Amino acid sequence: MKKTTIGIMTLTASIIGITCFLTINTNAEKADTTEEKIIPTYSIQADYTVNVDNPNEVVGDSDYVFVGKVKSETGTTYKNKVPLEKEDGTVEYVGEAFTHYEVEVLSNLKNELVTNQVIPIDKQGGIREDGSAYDVFDDDQLPEAGKVYIFTAYTQDDGSLLVAGANSTISFDEKTKNIDSEKEVNKTEEVQLYEEAVDNQVMIDEDNLNSDFDASQEQQ
């Protein structure tokens, strides 16, 4: 089994070498009811066994690195629910948010995902079940529909793709953020940086699993 076990209090090494402590703020400030409610964002604090500031290690730890255009956000599920005692003494079961997206792969940088169809990815983090706040890893972000990112993804036992942790979703700069073709993205500094990182990757675990959306599956 590789990179599949996730807990609300700990994101274990079987995924990406993270120990994660999710701080649940039950006293989030309420916006003035006369104004539009602003949903706050809280950080998921994590300790990593890879250097997440070193792209060579980040890509070496991942199964796939690719440039993808987010076509849509398709929902959020909540896993690994744990009991949380509220101020009034009642107990509520709170789960970890996983946000789902449909993505078009524009360019493969490490291993090959299909490029002729839109594929689903799961992103760890997202809106809390009660809608009170967003939880997002430090140095990470939730993708937005219509935008292009570099993703580092991990194959789960069921063949799905998980994107999780710091620097797992990389934006393009303001000058190039609206590009959406393989030819255009391959000219960017961001892609060139990650192509170089793949060439010099520090392998963490070579026991990789193929995703259901691996290009090799089309040949079977």
Side-chain angles (χ1 to χ4, degrees), residues 8 78 80-86 91-95 129:
I8 191 167
Y78 301 91
N80 313 306
K81 294 192 174 185
V82 297
L84 176 69
E85 185 174 351
K86 301 172 70 174
V91 174
E92 178 181 6
Y93 281 81
V94 177
E129 201 162 2

Side-chain angles (χ1 to χ4, degrees), residues 66 121-125 140 151-154 161-165 168-169:
F66 63 96
I121 63 170
D122 296 334
K123 177 71 177 176
Q124 186 169 7
D140 193 25
F151 294 100
T152 57
Y154 303 88
L161 292 168
L162 174 67
V163 178
S168 61
T169 302

Side-chain angles (χ1 to χ4, degrees), residues 163-183:
V163 178
N167 295 320
S168 61
T169 302
I170 304 298
S171 298
F172 290 83
D173 67 24
E174 289 297 314
K175 295 180 181 179
T176 57
K177 66 179 182 180
N178 293 321
I179 58 178
D180 60 1
S181 73
E182 180 178 5
K183 183 178 180 180

Side-chain angles (χ1 to χ4, degrees), residues 68-153:
K69 183 173 184 178
V70 179
K71 307 299 285 187
S72 64
E73 179 184 329
T74 59
T76 307
T77 57
Y78 301 91
K79 304 178 182 180
N80 313 306
K81 294 192 174 185
V82 297
L84 176 69
E85 185 174 351
K86 301 172 70 174
E87 289 182 335
D88 61 4
T90 61
V91 174
E92 178 181 6
Y93 281 81
V94 177
E96 215 174 351
F98 289 79
T99 309
H100 311 299
Y101 298 91
E102 297 282 349
V103 175
E104 176 189 3
V105 178
L106 300 179
S107 180
N108 285 292
L109 306 182
K110 176 181 176 179
N111 293 329
E112 299 286 327
L113 294 168
V114 295
T115 57
N116 60 354
Q117 66 184 78
V118 174
I119 65 172
I121 63 170
D122 296 334
K123 177 71 177 176
Q124 186 169 7
I127 190 75
R128 293 181 183 176
E129 201 162 2
D130 63 2
S132 64
Y134 288 95
D135 291 308
V136 181
F137 283 98
D138 277 341
D139 297 320
D140 193 25
Q141 60 185 311
L142 294 175
E144 297 180 29
K147 294 188 177 182
V148 177
Y149 303 88
I150 298 174
F151 294 100
T152 57

